[in-house]
């Protein structure tokens, strides 16, 4: 299994994200995820740098492959504009760039004032957006007149020799089926073996399956729980609220219903290498090929050191 590190743009300023990327490469991680947000989930997280600026900067500080986890290509940025950003990123990273896409959250996508579509329509828009981007990466001048997007006489001049892979994030059967049909890979955030099986059975075959989990490195489990609850109480919010609430303030209201101890089930808290190995093993048994760990709070150097000394050597 390939082990990577997740750069949480919701939580860290640009210079610190670059420092984490450098340190992750030195520690022996094999790839980077980077989140793509307009807003953080809560004000306590407190950051949200523009991901395409960060991806360009990453190409200058490390050589690790980079995947967006994940970008919504349907509302906030037109897919024709996004296709140019992705092509440039792939050139800068010498082909080591993957576009992870998903149907998005109102938190980031509502900002232009339009309606937030229902889930089925968002998946339809996602499929057309990927089609538009692939045309622009593959063809010369492109004209596209679809149900959701219009492109006229557009051509991307700076692009990689090989079109960037597109991995699709999916959490329900319809989304998994779409990922299997149009994706070059599959993205999830839980050790969901059934989704992996469905992806592979419905056309995904042996394409890569990526997943990620969060950690709160700290001297004790309880301190890790405190850090996780301070920054990420939303990780224990169930159902579709993550997709439909429109602002960090709404998430803070919903998070008041979360028991802080619920962080023990959604995070790896503390400094025990065995707990990380057990979490990674759960993803391996579910059939994932790659897993990415994120740290919350100020102790990310400790997490990277733990992986360099105790976790990665034992996995290899």
């Amino acid at each position: 299994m390939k082990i990577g590190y997740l750069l949480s743009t919701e939580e860290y300023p640009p210079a610190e994200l670059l420092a984490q990327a450098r340190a992750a490469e030195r520690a022996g991680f094999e790839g980077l995820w980077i989140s793509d947000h307009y807003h953080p989930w809560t004000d306590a997280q407190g950051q949200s740098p523009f991901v395409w600026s960060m991806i360009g900067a990453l190409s200058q500080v490390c050589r690790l492959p980079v995947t967006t986890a994940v970008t919504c290509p349907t509302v906030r940025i037109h897919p024709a504009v996004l296709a140019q950003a992705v092509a440039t990123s792939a050139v800068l990273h010498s082909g080591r760039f993957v576009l992870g896409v998903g149907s998005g959250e109102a938190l980031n996508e509502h900002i232009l004032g339009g309606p937030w579509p229902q889930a089925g329509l968002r998946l339809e828009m996602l499929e057309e957006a990927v089609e538009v981007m692939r045309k622009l990466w593959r063809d010369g001048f492109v004209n596209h007149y679809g149900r959701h997007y219009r492109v006229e006489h557009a051509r991307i001049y700076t692009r990689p020799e090989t079109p960037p892979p597109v991995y699709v994030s999916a959490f329900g059967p319809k989304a998994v089926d779409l990922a299997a049909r149009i994706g070059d890979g599959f993205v999830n955030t839980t050790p969901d073996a059934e989704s992996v099986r469905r992806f592979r059975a419905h056309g995904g075959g042996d394409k890569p399956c990526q997943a990620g989990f969060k950690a709160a490195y700290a001297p004790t489990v309880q301190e890790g729980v405190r850090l996780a609850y301070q920054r990420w109480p939303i990780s224990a919010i169930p159902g579709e609220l993550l997709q439909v609430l429109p602002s960090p303030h709404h998430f803070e209201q919903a998070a008041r219903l979360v028991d802080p101890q619920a962080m023990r089930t959604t995070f790896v808290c503390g400094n025990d290498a065995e707990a990380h190995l057990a979490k990674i093993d759960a993803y391996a048994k579910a059939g994932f090929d790659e897993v990415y760990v994120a740290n919350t709070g100020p102790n990310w150097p400790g997490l990277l050191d733990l992986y360099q000394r105790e976790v990665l050597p034992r996995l290899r």
Side-chain angles (χ1 to χ4, degrees):
M1 176 180 276
K2 178 179 175 180
I3 308 298
Y5 183 75
L6 167 56
L7 301 169
S8 294
T9 60
E10 308 95 315
E11 198 175 336
Y12 301 101
E16 195 166 2
L17 291 169
L18 297 180
Q20 290 183 26
R22 293 188 195 95
E25 185 172 44
R26 289 196 300 267
F29 285 89
E30 298 168 273
L32 297 171
W33 265 11
I34 186 166
S35 54
D36 180 359
H37 273 244
Y38 192 88
H39 295 131
W41 295 98
T42 66
D43 280 354
Q45 292 176 346
Q47 295 289 331
S48 197
F50 187 51
V51 73
W52 301 102
S53 299
M54 292 306 311
I55 290 167
L58 287 170
S59 72
Q60 304 303 299
V61 301
C62 74
R63 303 288 291 173
L64 292 177
V66 176
T67 303
T68 57
V70 293
T71 292
C72 177
T74 60
V75 177
R76 177 171 34 116
I77 302 179
H78 192 284
V81 177
L82 188 61
Q84 185 185 28
V86 172
T88 300
S89 298
V91 170
L92 283 168
H93 286 271
S94 302
R96 299 183 304 276
F97 180 77
V98 173
L99 177 65
V101 299
S103 59
E105 302 96 12
L107 173 71
N108 302 303
E109 307 306 321
H110 80 283
I111 59 169
L112 301 181
W116 180 235
Q118 294 186 351
L121 183 56
R122 297 203 306 271
L123 291 176
E124 184 181 289
M125 294 170 70
L126 178 62
E127 183 169 6
E128 186 178 340
V130 171
E131 177 188 357
V132 167
M133 291 188 291
R134 283 176 167 156
K135 283 181 178 179
L136 286 161
W137 296 331
R138 181 186 66 237
D139 300 338
F141 283 97
V142 169
N143 294 286
H144 175 91
Y145 303 97
R147 179 176 177 185
H148 303 289
Y149 305 105
R150 182 185 181 108
V151 178
E152 289 191 351
H153 208 57
R155 178 182 176 185
I156 294 176
Y157 280 82
T158 300
R159 58 189 189 186
E161 292 183 6
T162 302
V166 178
Y167 291 8
V168 180
S169 171
F171 297 95
K174 291 182 180 178
V176 172
D177 291 350
L178 176 65
R181 187 171 72 253
I182 72 168
D184 299 307
F186 172 60
V187 176
N188 203 299
T189 57
T190 63
D192 183 356
E194 178 54 35
S195 289
V196 174
R197 283 194 293 269
R198 187 178 185 101
F199 172 78
R200 299 204 183 284
H202 285 72
D206 61 355
K207 295 174 183 177
C209 292
Q210 297 183 338
F213 68 91
K214 291 182 173 60
Y217 186 88
T220 66
V221 169
Q222 198 55 42
E223 173 61 10
V225 169
R226 186 192 69 79
L227 287 170
Y229 183 71
Q230 178 189 64
R231 302 284 182 96
W232 288 91
I234 61 98
S235 66
I237 294 175
E240 296 182 46
L241 285 179
L242 294 180
Q243 282 74 50
V244 301
L245 294 180
S247 80
H249 300 302
H250 292 99
F251 280 101
E252 287 162 1
Q253 293 168 16
R256 293 171 191 162
L257 303 175
V258 173
D259 179 356
Q261 296 306 313
M263 298 297 100
R264 291 175 178 264
T265 63
T266 58
F267 272 71
V268 179
C269 298
N271 59 6
D272 182 13
E274 295 296 333
H276 284 268
L277 289 164
K279 178 69 79 171
I280 292 167
D281 187 57
Y283 284 92
K285 289 177 178 176
F288 286 95
D289 306 295
E290 305 176 21
V291 64
Y292 294 76
V293 57
N295 186 70
T296 189
N299 303 322
W300 58 266
L303 179 91
L304 296 181
D305 181 64
L306 178 72
Y307 268 70
Q308 183 175 18
R309 288 185 296 104
E310 299 187 49
V311 177
L312 295 177
R314 291 175 61 180
L315 290 171
R316 292 165 183 158

